[in-house]
Amino acid sequence: AGQAQIDTPQPSPLCTLSQKVGLTNVDIEYSRPGMKARTIFGGLVPYGEMWRLGANASTKITVSSDGTIGGMDVPKGKYALSVIPEAEEWTVVIHKNISHWGVGDYDEKEDLGRFKTKVKRTADVTETLTIDFSGFTSDGADIVMKWENVSVSFQLKTNAVEEVEAQIKQVLVDGPSAGTYYQAARFYLDNDKDMKQALDWINTAIDKRPEAFWYVHQKAKIQAKLGLNKEAVATATKSMEMAKNNEEGDYGYVKNNETLIADIKAGKYKMTQK
């Protein structure tokens, strides 16, 4: 009984806000205090002093890819988010040390950076500290903080446009990669599907990566399954020589090709498709 604990609601409940912005996952963790008939800015939260932008532990923001916040470059990662409020303008501080409970151990040397943003007065009163996203575009959104009759916002911008352009180039301009053709050929080979199609795919893969002797080895296997034994032995021999000359090692492909050649010559590698 002496170790029993009572679970009670928190005065400033923890909130985790998750939002997709462009192609970036953004999470904000903060505790949400209420006004409770108190004067907030210039009172409970003094002007000119660092504030953790919430209650309890420091407010955290996590971004899954590089971008900008308030016009400042922010690499992907997790950061503490603090502010220095004034009546007309706030300084937003993005801090690399996320271990602080509040701001008592704050060290400016650990800042990622700072920027300023204007204060807006709202007609309606927001009883509970609220952080949300608004003003979405294809590659960005505004992070908005409201409490009492104050609203502050700043833009989070991602590299979504550049990322989509890269995808378009890869899929529509460059086409599938060598690895994609190789994987398709291997799947057909391993599952005894259309070997002629597999041969076309592995040839394309080799054209894109002619140095990949392990691709050439798989081509020899496909040729053997098509009954092209003479060609298969020649291809395996070529793969073996390439592996021998590879400065970083043969990755076991000298032995693999020797075994394949021996199996083909011994009739152990049976043709499965014409």
Side-chain angles (χ1 to χ4, degrees):
Q3 296 182 4
Q5 294 183 352
I6 299 174
D7 190 13
T8 60
Q10 294 297 308
S12 301
L14 179 66
C15 174
T16 300
L17 179 64
S18 297
Q19 179 64 57
K20 191 89 166 183
V21 180
L23 299 177
T24 300
N25 296 315
V26 184
D27 296 322
I28 298 177
E29 307 166 40
Y30 71 111
S31 292
R32 305 184 62 190
M35 287 179 59
K36 302 175 183 176
R38 299 173 293 185
T39 298
I40 302 303
F41 298 107
L44 178 67
V45 179
Y47 289 136
E49 295 183 13
M50 184 80 69
W51 176 45
R52 72 191 78 179
L53 195 56
N56 304 323
S58 59
T59 293
K60 314 291 194 310
I61 184 168
T62 305
V63 288
S64 65
S65 60
D66 298 348
T68 65
I69 297 179
M72 185 179 73
D73 290 338
V74 177
K76 68 177 181 179
K78 188 172 185 177
Y79 304 93
L81 196 59
S82 301
V83 296
I84 303 173
E86 297 287 0
E88 303 300 328
E89 186 177 67
W90 284 15
T91 299
V92 180
V93 181
I94 300 179
H95 197 60
K96 292 182 286 187
N97 190 329
I98 61 173
S99 65
H100 299 323
W101 176 252
V103 294
D105 296 324
Y106 167 77
D107 184 349
E108 188 174 350
K109 294 178 182 178
E110 296 178 308
D111 282 354
L112 179 69
R114 299 180 173 200
F115 60 89
K116 294 183 181 294
T117 186
K118 297 295 184 182
V119 171
K120 294 181 180 179
R121 303 292 171 181
T122 62
D124 297 329
V125 172
T126 302
E127 168 64 29
T128 304
L129 172 65
T130 301
I131 300 177
D132 206 348
F133 292 87
S134 182
F136 288 92
T137 65
S138 60
D139 62 350
D142 294 327
I143 298 174
V144 183
M145 194 276 336
K146 292 183 178 180
W147 200 18
E148 199 178 42
N149 66 334
V150 166
S151 175
V152 171
S153 67
F154 45 89
Q155 189 181 56
L156 184 151
K157 196 168 181 63
T158 71
N159 295 320
V161 172
E162 293 79 3
E163 290 169 0
V164 172
E165 286 178 339
Q167 291 181 58
I168 290 172
K169 184 177 184 297
Q170 181 180 18
V171 174
L172 299 183
V173 181
D174 296 340
S177 67
T180 301
Y181 283 107
Y182 172 71
Q183 290 167 0
R186 278 295 306 269
F187 180 82
Y188 269 31
L189 172 63
D190 295 341
N191 291 277
D192 203 22
K193 297 294 183 181
D194 187 343
M195 289 299 113
K196 289 183 179 179
Q197 179 63 77
L199 185 60
D200 286 342
W201 283 336
I202 200 66
N203 280 334
T204 301
I206 293 169
D207 286 343
K208 288 178 173 288
R209 283 196 69 183
E211 80 286 358
F213 51 83
W214 52 98
Y215 287 12
V216 179
H217 175 77
Q218 299 303 326
K219 177 180 177 177
K221 287 184 175 181
I222 293 168
Q223 289 172 320
K225 281 203 169 188
L226 285 167
L228 304 172
N229 289 348
K230 181 178 179 181
E231 293 87 343
V233 169
T235 301
T237 301
K238 178 180 178 181
S239 174
M240 181 167 57
E241 292 303 316
M242 292 171 67
K244 286 179 180 178
N245 294 326
N246 185 45
E247 293 181 357
E248 296 180 0
D250 68 359
Y251 308 140
Y253 274 88
V254 169
K255 177 64 175 177
N256 290 346
N257 282 295
E258 288 175 344
T259 300
L260 176 59
I261 291 168
D263 287 347
I264 293 171
K265 289 182 176 180
K268 295 180 181 179
Y269 213 94
K270 301 294 184 181
M271 177 179 67
T272 58
Q273 292 185 23
K274 296 182 180 179

